[in-house]
Amino acid sequence: MASSSVLSVATQCVSRNASSLSINETHKGKAKLGGSTLRFSKSSGRISMTVAVNVSRFEAIPMAPPDPILGVSEAFRADTSDAKLNLGVGAYRTEELQPYVLNVVKKAENLMLERGDNKEYLPIEGLAAFNKATAELLLGADNPAIKEQRVATVQGLSGTGSLRLGAALIERYFPGAKVLISAPTWGNHKNIFNDARVPWSEYRYYDPRTVGLDFEGMIEDIKAAPEGTFVLLHGCAHNPTGIDPTPEQWEKIADVIQQKNHIPFFDVAYQGFASGSLDEDAASVRLFVACGMEVLVAQSYSKNLGLYAERIGAMNVISSSSESATRVKSQLKRLARPMYSNPPVHGAKIVANVVGTPALFDEWKAEMEMMAGRIKNVRQKLYDSISSKDKSGKDWSFILKQIGMFSYTGLNKNQSDNMTNKWHVYMTKDGRISLAGLSLAKCEYLADAIIDSFHNVS
Amino acid sequence: MAIRNSLSGQLLRRTSAVAEARFMSSWFRSIEPAPKDPILGVTEAFLADQSPNKVNVGVGAYRDDNGKPVVLECVREAERRIAGSQFMEYLPIGGSVKMVEESLKLAYGENSEFIKDKRIGAVQALSGTGACRLFAAFQHRFHPNSQIYIPVPTWANHHNIWRDAGVPMKTFRYYHPESRGLDFSGLMEDIKNAPDGSFFLLHACAHNPTGVDPSEEQWREISSLIKVKGHFPFFDMAYQGFASGDPARDAKAIRIFLEDGHLIGLAQSYAKNMGLYGQRVGCLSVLCEDEKQAVAVKSQLQLLARPMYSNPPVHGALIVSTVLGDPELKNLWLKEVKVMADRIIGMRATLRENLEKLGSPLPWQHITNQVSS
């Protein structure tokens, strides 16, 4: 059969000395190999797919596990129960549990549509108007660091992409440096530093006994780290716990980091969403900068402007001189170019329009307060529901003390599974619930689920 | 509020202390200034130039006859349709399913058996760069001892991408300076001499930067030899539709390889052919032996993408799926792509004519030979 001669000659060729191969016919579908003529017809091409030569290079590739956070939404979608509740990913929902597109965003998009902006490549560092707006939003327009041009800002792919740029900068220019991350922290932090090949270890953060901050443990671990360690801090609304240091505690943390010559690396994904005030939520970052420290800050507009899928954020490096900022920015660009060349324009323009248009900016602040306000109300209602239903005397006040979208319920993995399997409440296995996905109407149901899981499952 | 007052009070105290505080020497002292990007730096320089006669023939971004950027009509219409929609929630890590489906149809063929058999592991990517980078990272993770063979010359950023992904590079001959055409025998020799089972980067059409593509016959021979050597062909297709004006024709090399039974990898970009440059929308696909493998490969691509950017941007993807998913808009797109390609083909002819008219003694037929077939 013609095809089997194709097979046998082909396998011989692979092991034969390569220099004896020559193809000197240009006829369509024919080739001479060391004297014998092979025919490559379409049908033999199909049959020969089963030959060793066409075995996939990726045969040994195992199936990856679903993402622990984003996988929750997938599971939720597959659930057919009417009672189902998605408290997995941190995406804001209205009281009707619908996604929310901010009014200012719709207005900004309409402006952009009317103007008929083109879709040309942004520079590698992103949209200049966005970079200016985002640094000013973070630090305050009159911040000396900005006035002295000591801030290097590069538009990034939301929080993740900005963190990844920072991680890549650390790997390339601080060889051997480690990152200290909180225990617990957002799941993807570890993936980012792993894939960027930056070693990390944890500092104590969550205290399960108090369902609060293990402040002494945190300070001890930061002190114990070798000089020049990068310390990853959540600017506000710690994810997943919802537990933030107090202003006094922030001062002490800043002192220790400064004494040990560490470098603070802030992840600011919820500016405005924690307290409702954009300025207030940036206080921790501004404190560190005012101390005179050099700081890395990753920002995201996924939550506070609802621009999740547009992937808009920034990597900021505040350094001690404008000259140094210029150099750092150039190297951040050099890291970005082989990742994605230049960042997506759409989200950047929305942010620049909203922040840069006074009327829209004011309206945004109001919408921000409304969203943060809804979450505060839901916290209150949940707390009230649980306290009135639970007769065990357990202290649930942590629900009110925690801040931002998330609450660390203290439920363990089995209990979290029970939430899902019995009650169709979707959450992450670490006991984190996203209050942004909770409505006042569902608080009673959730209270029942939490009480049941906490008391009846170990 | 208590928090605000106390923290900003402390801020004032700190700020005045800064004047006395030592500025520890910068952490970033050892960071050298990076050189300007060889391609995007040209545009920076062009923008800074004050001369009224300036011409930017640097970056590959289409311009109309007045030198202005063009937004396609089909894209504008798609945007009008999607404006103000609810679609701002995170896409899945692998991106827009619809956009990926349409991309696969465009590249592999509307009725491709591989699509029907679900043998293609594919994800939305950050345009061509992102698709290449994701594949390079994937190659590094699952074939850590492999290298990538890249043509000489190639798009400058290919070097950066595979280097930053930790994959060493080798080269194969491609451009023949004397003829300003393809060094076909050099190319074939280098394919032959590479160790069996090497990874090869091929430009599917409209080779960047030379504009020199193999003929259909030459592609068939390249495919045969690569098959015999058991190499892995990775195609970078950034110009489908833009080369000849006909997307099906521009995918010919890929179709030849598929017919020959290769299991290919493919990076697609919509930057040029849909003028979506700044939206960063593209697709990475890997043809596998069966559906199970395709699912596994896709899951691993997602595992690589999650710590890079979590999930890809939605806007450009929505535009692409709206345009390609609507027959009327798709027809409009096909017309507009042909107009762009024709303008460039016409420009080539005019440039060559003018050079010859000016009495240049040098040969200029390569201008029209390149990317005209």
Side-chain angles (χ1 to χ4, degrees):
Chain A
M1 195 164 55
S3 51
S4 57
S5 68
V6 166
L7 304 183
S8 59
V9 177
T11 7
Q12 278 170 37
C13 286
V14 170
S15 51
R16 195 189 296 183
N17 184 346
S19 61
S20 68
L21 278 174
S22 63
I23 297 205
N24 47 26
E25 274 203 34
T26 53
H27 287 199
K28 183 170 177 168
K30 273 200 270 182
K32 263 187 169 22
L33 277 148
S36 46
T37 305
L38 306 174
R39 290 185 200 286
F40 289 98
S41 68
K42 193 169 175 179
S43 57
S44 66
R46 284 213 59 185
I47 292 166
S48 66
M49 278 194 307
T50 59
V51 174
V53 137
N54 292 96
V55 162
S56 170
R57 313 303 300 279
F58 308 116
E59 204 169 60
I61 290 183
M63 182 72 188
D67 185 271
I69 301 172
L70 302 177
V72 171
S73 289
E74 284 180 36
F76 171 80
R77 273 191 288 270
D79 189 326
T80 51
S81 158
D82 281 331
K84 67 179 182 177
L85 195 54
N86 187 359
L87 303 183
V89 72
Y92 180 83
R93 294 281 180 279
T94 61
E95 171 64 25
E96 296 73 36
L97 297 185
Q98 293 304 310
Y100 180 61
V101 179
L102 277 71
N103 286 326
V104 286
V105 169
K106 289 184 192 162
K107 287 182 183 172
E109 282 204 305
N110 283 330
L111 275 174
M112 287 154 60
L113 208 57
E114 273 161 43
R115 270 204 310 261
D117 289 341
N118 68 48
K119 299 187 177 307
E120 295 300 291
Y121 288 127
L122 286 179
I124 304 175
E125 69 265 34
L127 185 68
F130 166 79
N131 288 343
K132 178 172 189 292
T134 200
E136 290 179 359
L137 194 67
L138 178 68
L139 300 172
D142 50 1
N143 193 302
I146 293 184
K147 292 215 170 91
E148 292 157 19
Q149 298 182 310
R150 293 190 283 114
V151 183
T153 301
V154 166
Q155 180 186 335
L157 289 156
S158 202
T160 304
S162 306
L163 286 161
R164 182 59 177 263
L165 275 181
L169 186 77
I170 294 172
E171 194 271 340
R172 185 169 282 185
Y173 292 103
F174 297 86
K178 249 182 160 181
V179 176
L180 267 183
I181 62 181
S182 65
T185 192
W186 180 47
N188 206 26
H189 280 146
K190 296 178 186 175
N191 300 331
I192 292 168
F193 290 112
N194 283 342
D195 277 24
R197 294 184 310 271
V198 175
W200 53 267
S201 60
E202 288 176 306
Y203 59 87
R204 280 166 284 172
Y205 193 83
Y206 174 63
D207 187 348
R209 292 168 304 137
T210 59
V211 195
L213 178 61
D214 177 0
F215 184 60
E216 266 156 39
M218 177 180 183
I219 294 293
E220 236 176 83
D221 291 345
I222 292 178
K223 271 196 186 142
E227 189 175 309
T229 295
F230 287 80
V231 184
L232 189 66
L233 303 160
H234 298 227
C236 65
H238 184 271
N239 178 2
T241 66
I243 298 162
D244 284 349
T246 64
E248 295 72 33
Q249 289 173 327
W250 273 124
E251 285 248 332
K252 294 210 178 79
I253 295 166
D255 277 338
V256 166
I257 287 181
Q258 197 155 24
Q259 279 160 29
K260 289 290 303 191
N261 234 11
H262 292 330
I263 309 177
F265 188 163
F266 279 94
D267 184 354
V268 176
Y270 298 98
Q271 187 182 0
F273 230 110
S275 67
S277 157
L278 291 159
D279 281 321
E280 204 173 305
D281 286 351
S284 59
V285 174
R286 295 178 189 185
L287 170 68
F288 279 61
V289 171
C291 289
M293 282 184 266
E294 293 184 307
V295 186
L296 273 63
V297 186
Q299 291 170 281
S300 164
Y301 289 90
S302 290
K303 301 9 175 210
N304 58 11
L305 260 171
L307 294 176
Y308 309 95
E310 303 294 350
R311 319 312 293 130
I312 177 67
M315 181 70 227
N316 303 273
V317 178
I318 298 105
S319 66
S320 57
S321 70
S322 69
E323 183 267 335
S324 149
T326 306
R327 281 183 284 113
V328 169
K329 183 163 170 167
S330 75
Q331 293 296 352
L332 286 170
K333 283 164 68 170
R334 203 161 144 250
L335 287 159
R337 175 50 156 159
M339 282 193 203
Y340 49 82
S341 281
N342 37 69
V345 65
H346 197 72
K349 288 207 167 164
I350 295 175
V351 176
N353 273 299
V354 168
V355 175
T357 314
L360 287 181
F361 189 45
D362 286 340
E363 199 179 329
W364 179 34
K365 285 195 260 200
E367 280 191 283
M368 196 64 256
E369 273 188 48
M370 180 274 293
M371 291 194 288
R374 189 182 95 65
I375 294 190
K376 285 185 196 155
N377 288 344
V378 154
R379 280 190 184 274
Q380 188 67 52
K381 181 91 197 274
L382 180 62
Y383 170 74
D384 292 340
S385 305
I386 291 190
S387 322
S388 66
K389 285 170 191 268
D390 183 30
K391 306 302 177 200
S392 74
K394 178 176 159 67
D395 181 9
W396 296 96
S397 65
F398 62 83
I399 294 176
L400 295 176
K401 290 186 201 141
Q402 290 164 358
I403 194 168
M405 260 193 201
F406 301 112
S407 175
Y408 228 39
T409 55
L411 294 173
N412 63 30
K413 184 181 182 305
N414 288 340
Q415 293 164 337
S416 302
D417 283 343
N418 185 64
M419 294 285 285
T420 305
N421 298 334
K422 182 169 171 188
W423 295 88
H424 303 277
V425 173
Y426 288 79
M427 51 189 281
T428 48
K429 306 294 180 212
D430 54 0
R432 181 191 88 167
I433 54 174
S434 169
L435 295 162
L438 181 62
S439 59
L440 292 168
K442 298 258 186 174
C443 282
E444 302 269 344
Y445 178 78
L446 183 61
D448 287 336
I450 291 176
I451 292 169
D452 171 61
S453 305
F454 186 78
H455 288 300
N456 300 334
V457 178
S458 58
Chain B
M1 286 183 63
I3 297 172
R4 181 188 310 186
N5 289 341
S6 76
L7 203 51
S8 48
Q10 284 154 356
L11 214 70
L12 281 169
R13 187 166 61 75
R14 289 276 182 183
T15 315
S16 58
V18 160
E20 307 143 25
R22 58 181 170 100
F23 248 140
M24 67 186 99
S25 52
S26 174
W27 281 106
F28 308 115
R29 231 179 319 140
S30 63
I31 295 186
E32 303 272 309
K36 288 225 179 292
D37 185 271
I39 301 171
L40 303 177
V42 171
T43 296
E44 282 182 37
F46 168 80
L47 290 169
D49 189 324
Q50 306 291 328
S51 161
N53 296 323
K54 62 181 179 176
V55 178
N56 187 359
V57 286
V59 72
Y62 180 82
R63 296 285 178 270
D64 64 15
D65 215 51
N66 299 313
K68 295 283 173 250
V70 170
V71 178
L72 300 186
E73 198 36 58
C74 63
V75 167
R76 285 274 184 242
E77 176 55 32
E79 278 206 308
R80 278 190 282 271
R81 295 185 193 181
I82 67 184
S85 73
Q86 301 294 314
F87 300 111
M88 286 194 180
E89 293 293 300
Y90 290 124
L91 284 177
I93 305 178
S96 156
V97 167
K98 183 133 200 305
M99 183 269 214
V100 168
E101 269 170 18
E102 292 296 337
S103 301
L104 296 183
K105 276 162 43 184
L106 199 60
Y108 293 79
E110 286 274 332
N111 301 308
S112 164
E113 65 198 278
F114 307 117
I115 297 178
K116 286 202 187 77
D117 295 343
K118 304 198 187 174
R119 286 176 48 191
I120 308 174
V123 295
Q124 180 184 337
L126 291 161
S127 205
T129 304
C132 286
R133 178 57 177 266
L134 206 54
F135 182 79
F138 178 70
Q139 181 187 347
H140 181 71
R141 180 166 285 181
F142 293 102
H143 288 275
N145 299 319
S146 67
Q147 298 153 328
I148 184 87
Y149 280 79
I150 59 179
V152 178
T154 192
W155 180 46
N157 206 26
H158 280 146
H159 289 269
N160 302 329
I161 291 169
W162 267 270
R163 179 202 63 219
D164 275 21
V167 176
M169 279 162 281
K170 285 229 141 86
T171 58
F172 61 93
R173 279 167 286 173
Y174 192 83
Y175 181 63
H176 193 240
E178 291 76 26
S179 63
R180 298 194 197 30
L182 182 65
D183 179 0
F184 185 61
S185 54
L187 187 159
M188 293 297 271
E189 214 179 295
D190 289 348
I191 291 178
K192 189 181 79 180
N193 290 334
D196 293 353
S198 298
F199 285 74
F200 269 77
L201 172 69
L202 304 164
H203 296 226
C205 64
H207 180 273
N208 179 1
T210 67
V212 171
D213 286 346
S215 65
E216 198 175 307
E217 293 319 309
Q218 290 172 325
W219 272 124
R220 289 189 193 282
E221 292 199 37
I222 294 167
S223 173
S224 301
L225 183 54
I226 285 185
K227 191 167 169 194
V228 161
K229 292 288 298 180
H231 293 328
F232 180 89
F234 182 74
F235 282 96
D236 185 354
M237 182 156 69
Y239 299 96
Q240 187 182 10
F242 224 105
S244 67
D246 175 6
R249 195 160 151 208
D250 288 346
K252 190 64 187 172
I254 291 173
R255 307 287 168 85
I256 288 171
F257 273 65
L258 293 173
E259 274 166 26
D260 266 0
H262 289 284
L263 297 172
I264 66 169
L266 170 64
Q268 288 170 267
S269 165
Y270 289 97
K272 284 58 160 179
N273 60 10
M274 243 190 243
L276 295 177
Y277 308 95
Q279 304 292 335
R280 319 312 294 129
V281 59
C283 181
L284 169 65
S285 55
V286 178
L287 176 59
C288 303
E289 289 176 302
D290 54 38
E291 181 178 351
K292 181 156 169 250
Q293 202 178 85
V295 169
V297 165
K298 179 175 168 165
S299 75
Q300 294 293 349
L301 291 175
Q302 289 176 179
L303 212 55
L304 286 158
R306 173 52 155 159
M308 278 193 204
Y309 49 84
S310 279
N311 36 70
V314 70
H315 195 74
L318 267 184
I319 295 175
V320 172
S321 57
T322 303
V323 168
L324 294 181
D326 176 307
E328 196 192 312
L329 281 182
K330 184 168 179 181
N331 277 334
L332 178 55
W333 173 59
L334 289 169
K335 284 203 186 82
E336 291 187 280
V337 144
K338 187 153 189 342
V339 164
M340 291 197 289
D342 284 347
R343 192 181 93 70
I344 295 187
I345 291 169
M347 194 65 40
R348 286 183 178 275
T350 310
L351 178 61
R352 176 184 166 180
E353 248 176 70
N354 276 294
L355 285 163
E356 288 167 352
K357 254 196 262 176
L358 286 170
S360 166
L362 301 167
W364 295 107
Q365 68 271 21
H366 61 275
I367 293 178
T368 45
N369 286 346
Q370 290 165 359
V371 199
S372 51
S373 59

